[in-house]
Amino acid sequence: MKILRLLLGDQLNSEHSWFDEVNPDMMYVMAEMRQETDYVKHHIQKVAAFFLSMRNFSEELINKSHQVVYYKISDSNNPHNLEQLILDLVEEYKIEQFEYQFPDEYRLDEQLKSICEKLSIRTKAVDSEHFYTSRNELADFFKGKKQLLMESFYRMMRKKHYVLMVGDQPLDGKWNFDHNNRNQYKNEVPIPFPLEFHKNVSEIIAEIEAQNISTFGSIDAEKFNWPTSRNESLQLIDYFCEHLLAHFGTYQDSLFSGHKFLFHSRLSFAMNSKMISPKEVVDAVISYYYENQETTELAQVEGFVRQIIGWREYVRGIYWKEMPNYAQMNALENQNPLPEFFWTGKTKMKCMQHSISQSLSEAYAHHIQRLMVIGNFSLLAQLHPDAVDAWYLGVYIDAIEWVEMPNTRGMSQYADGGIVATKPYVSSGSYINKMSNYCGSCHYKVKEKLGEKACPFNSLYWHFLDEKKQHFANNQRMSMMLALLRKMKPEELAATKEKAISILEDINNL
Ligand code: FAD
Ligand code: SF4
């Protein structure tokens, strides 16, 4: 054996040029390792989805006559550590060259560089051929600029990749249809049933349990519904185009207790594990749009495309521009621990109860649940960004650090001091009431700020603004909020702050 090629659990890209030819001197290695299951506590569905997808992928490679050595989590000869794994294989098979695809996580990038330094054979790192952009493209694009505005990055991406363009202008003359995409869902149109795969994954769950891997969240092991193969991922794209795209943008920001997924695609795991590429997803959606213009509006399509060629590539660029310092940032100096109900969903706040319970039962919450409910509460309650980050990284099926951290620590917690978000995403209960049907059935009263049943978001909001006003003193986008704070009567502010402090002191009983 001459060449050893490593495939990490999120490098399941069967379209990679590595697989263009079968070479008898080439061996691929894949391993389910404790170093990956244990660096943070993961949701059980996340561990199961990665292991299943890896096993399916290795089978796919073997069926195409590639040589694969695969270590299951339960294999007694599994070293559970990347360095040991590579060093042992190099020795055992007299490997002459070690190759890997650039990992997307800083931690693994450093580890692989260090492994290569220890090896006395040739080593080579290649692109993962998944993203539209290279690691440093965003940093180059914004060189010399003070603000890293997503919108300007997005427009560059639209032009560069000729997505929804006519000449050098956006299709229909508008770059952004965000204003069309802010509706609350009120049962006007039926929400289609989500595409279900109903796989029995009991065996792999038993293996994970037998290894005493510490996980959380629940799973219906007889009806597992996440895509774990390229074929299932492709089915999910088709399903999205046919059944969900027509209303995606309209209800993209809606919160609704009657449905877990609304019109969201659930494609993030398939993409983040690289079973499908962002280009395949964008191309499929745009082709569908051109073939079905009588039923699909441009606003829906643009809203979706922006998430992928805009936000997804943008946060990846931010991650590589700012790491490793990004992981330590806590610009607002928030220190509070995570309340217990993040692990149980047991709280009287309907919005939090629904969003957290769903995260625990499905390993999924959609963007506005993550940002404007759980993230909003976390920031208002001044929770430590390390604790918030660890929770988000563990709980969601799609959580890999390069995408989770800029979204959580940056966009949602403003811990990066405004690199990603130009102002903190905080609101009182009124925003949640406007975008959801949560408040009507909540124990708390959304219109009240003081008193036993007052919505906690209300006093926490003003308390947060008051506590952090120095940080935002020069932020133009915060000037209106701070002016309202200044206009508050001193006795009203004092009572509001007292209420907020009592909430924070007894946060586990909310
Ligand atoms: P859809 O709503 O159908 O959107 C389509 C696709 O757009 C997604 O699959 C995703 O690939 C992409 N996308 C949308 N918004 C973003 C964004 N802000 N950043 C990157 N990609 C985006 N996404 C992750 O993939 N992993 C994470 O760990 C993650 N953590 C998040 C944490 C917080 C606090 C917030 C606010 C957002 C986070 N997101 C994360 C972004 C977004 O919430 C998820 O991508 C989305 O909810 C996944 O569900 P979906 O596939 O149904 O998305
Ligand atoms: Fe959430 Fe407040 Fe509405 Fe209750 S009243 S659902 S706590 S925003």
Side-chain angles (χ1 to χ4, degrees), residues 348-352 373 428-430 432-433 436 438-447 453-458:
K348 299 190 281 298
M349 294 179 284
K350 179 74 185 177
C351 54
M352 289 290 279
V373 180
S428 63
S430 66
I432 296 175
N433 193 28
S436 79
Y438 289 143
C439 302
S441 57
C442 182
H443 167 87
Y444 295 104
K445 306 281 174 226
V446 70
K447 298 229 157 76
K453 286 206 162 179
C455 166
F457 283 77
N458 295 340

